[in-house]
């Protein structure tokens, strides 16, 4: 793993060029990338099911890094991080806490998507003092209706993608219509902009364990999200097949003072389809 420091010309502001670093804590070596100006409260990105460091859309992460210190990481057992994937969202949150504290931060902002949003919720419930602001996209609360069906939807779309020699995210994240199909192709293409020092793909075992954790989350007792006092931005598409869009409304109702954005004619990856509109909104929210 590279540990090259920021260059004399200033901090890295392109995710495609951010060096991959490692830090060891609690017996796990975590892989991460950071970019943007150092100082202040960092924005830590919590990634989705089956994703590694290479799955963040640069059109989302780069605009935020223009003004903020951004950190993305592989949780335990994912990509280049060592150890085994936990079989519960709460254990993933405990690992995320270990990682953040190992970097020396007492407070962070969180940008999360899908499974990452579930981990973020578990983290803020357990360690409310750690989180200043929260961005929850394409996600839902513990016990949310339909979350325990994610595995079925995922395997079905993986099959569809295999039969058409496509990336599964084209089916899982986007509508299969005249608007969604080109947006899907553009998104998958953007994920290939980084050409060197790419992350290791998730293993089948790790992927299956993450699905097990999501199923548990969907069948668990709801957390008391009324306790959350952090400013929260919630976003999704209006036709999310993976984590039903109504769960974004549910989060909005349960988190006092939260803001909600639902993008039209879009699915689970609505924030990626509408990156040109969402990234500036997220950046302004996090800068307030």
């Amino acid at each position: 793993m590279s540990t090259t420091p920021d260059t004399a010309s200033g901090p890295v502001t392109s995710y495609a060029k951010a060096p991959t670093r490692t830090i060891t804590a609690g017996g796990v070596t975590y892989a991460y990338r950071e970019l943007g100006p150092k100082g202040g409260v960092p924005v830590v990105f919590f990634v989705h099911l089956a994703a590694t460091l290479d799955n963040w859309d640069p059109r989302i992460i780069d605009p935020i890094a223009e003004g903020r210190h951004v950190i993305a990481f592989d949780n335990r057992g994912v990509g280049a991080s060592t150890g085994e994937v936990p079989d519960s969202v709460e254990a993933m949150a405990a690992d995320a806490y270990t990682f953040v504290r190992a970097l020396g931060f007492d407070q962070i902002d969180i940008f999360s998507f899908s499974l990452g949003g579930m981990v973020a919720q578990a983290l803020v419930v357990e360690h409310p003092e750690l989180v200043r602001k929260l961005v929850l996209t394409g996600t839902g609360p513990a016990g949310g209706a339909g979350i325990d069906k994610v595995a079925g939807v995922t395997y079905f779309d993986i099959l569809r993608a295999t039969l058409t020699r496509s990336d599964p995210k084209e089916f899982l994240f986007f509508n299969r219509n005249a608007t969604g199909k080109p947006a899907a192709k553009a998104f998958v293409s953007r994920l290939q902009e980084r050409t060197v020092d790419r992350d290791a793909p998730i293993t089948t075992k790790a992927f299956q364990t993450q699905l097990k954790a999501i199923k548990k989350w969907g069948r668990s007792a709801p957390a008391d999200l009324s306790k959350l006092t952090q400013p929260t931005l919630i976003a999704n598409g209006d036709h999310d097949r993976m984590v039903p869009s109504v769960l974004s409304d549910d989060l909005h109702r349960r988190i006092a003072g939260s803001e909600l954005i639902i993008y039209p004619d879009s699915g689970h990856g609505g924030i990626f389809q509408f990156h040109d509109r969402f990234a500036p909104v997220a950046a302004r929210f996090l800068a307030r």
Side-chain angles (χ1 to χ4, degrees), residues 10 58 121 163 170 184 201 212 215 223 228 235 251 254 276:
Q121 291 173 63
L163 294 174
E170 295 184 35
K212 183 185 299 184
K215 189 172 185 177
L228 269 60
L251 285 172
R254 293 167 60 185
D276 55 336

Side-chain angles (χ1 to χ4, degrees), residues 1 45 56 61 63 85-86 88 97 102 106 135 139 145-147 153 165 176 181 193 225 234 237 257 270 281:
M1 288 293 172
F45 277 60
W56 280 116
I61 206 166
V85 171
S88 76
Y97 179 79
D106 297 319
V135 179
T139 195
I147 291 179
V153 174
R165 297 181 180 180
R176 303 302 293 163
K181 288 181 179 180
E193 289 180 0
L225 299 181
I234 302 163
V281 170

Side-chain angles (χ1 to χ4, degrees), residues 72-201:
F73 73 106
D74 282 333
N75 212 331
R76 174 159 54 107
V78 176
S81 291
T82 65
E84 294 188 1
V85 171
D87 64 358
S88 76
V89 167
E90 290 79 7
M92 294 176 189
D95 287 334
Y97 179 79
T98 297
F99 166 73
V100 168
R101 296 296 292 130
L103 290 177
F105 296 112
D106 297 319
Q107 194 171 54
I108 61 172
D109 290 345
I110 294 178
F111 186 108
S112 63
F113 175 60
S114 194
L115 170 59
M118 301 170 194
V119 176
Q121 291 173 63
L123 177 61
V124 75
V125 166
E126 188 66 25
H127 300 283
E129 76 290 342
L130 180 69
V131 182
R132 188 186 68 158
K133 289 187 177 181
L134 194 56
V135 179
L136 301 171
T137 67
T139 195
I147 291 179
D148 60 346
K149 306 295 192 298
V150 166
V153 174
T154 300
Y155 283 126
F156 176 68
D157 280 357
I158 288 174
L159 175 61
R160 291 204 295 168
T162 300
L163 294 174
T164 57
R165 297 181 180 180
S166 305
D167 189 305
K169 289 184 288 296
E170 295 184 35
F171 290 83
L172 289 164
F173 288 9
F174 299 87
N175 292 340
R176 303 302 293 163
N177 58 21
T179 303
K181 288 181 179 180
K185 293 290 186 185
F187 169 70
V188 170
S189 177
R190 294 195 298 271
L191 298 185
Q192 301 303 315
E193 289 180 0
R194 184 185 184 93
T195 57
V196 297
D197 189 26
R198 290 185 64 84
D199 203 355

Side-chain angles (χ1 to χ4, degrees), residues 218-280:
R219 294 183 176 179
S220 63
D224 184 4
L225 299 181
S226 67
K227 294 180 179 179
L228 269 60
T229 59
Q230 291 81 359
T232 302
L233 174 65
I234 302 163
N236 204 348
D238 65 352
H239 188 63
D240 188 340
R241 295 173 55 253
M242 292 195 73
V243 184
S245 302
V246 293
L247 297 181
S248 293
D249 292 295
D250 186 16
L251 285 172
H252 177 48
R253 285 192 300 270
R254 293 167 60 185
I255 302 175
S258 60
E259 303 172 38
L260 175 66
I261 301 172
I262 299 292
Y263 289 107
D265 192 20
S266 58
H268 191 55
I271 65 165
F272 307 128
Q273 182 171 325
F274 287 91
H275 62 84
D276 55 336
R277 287 164 58 177
F278 181 67

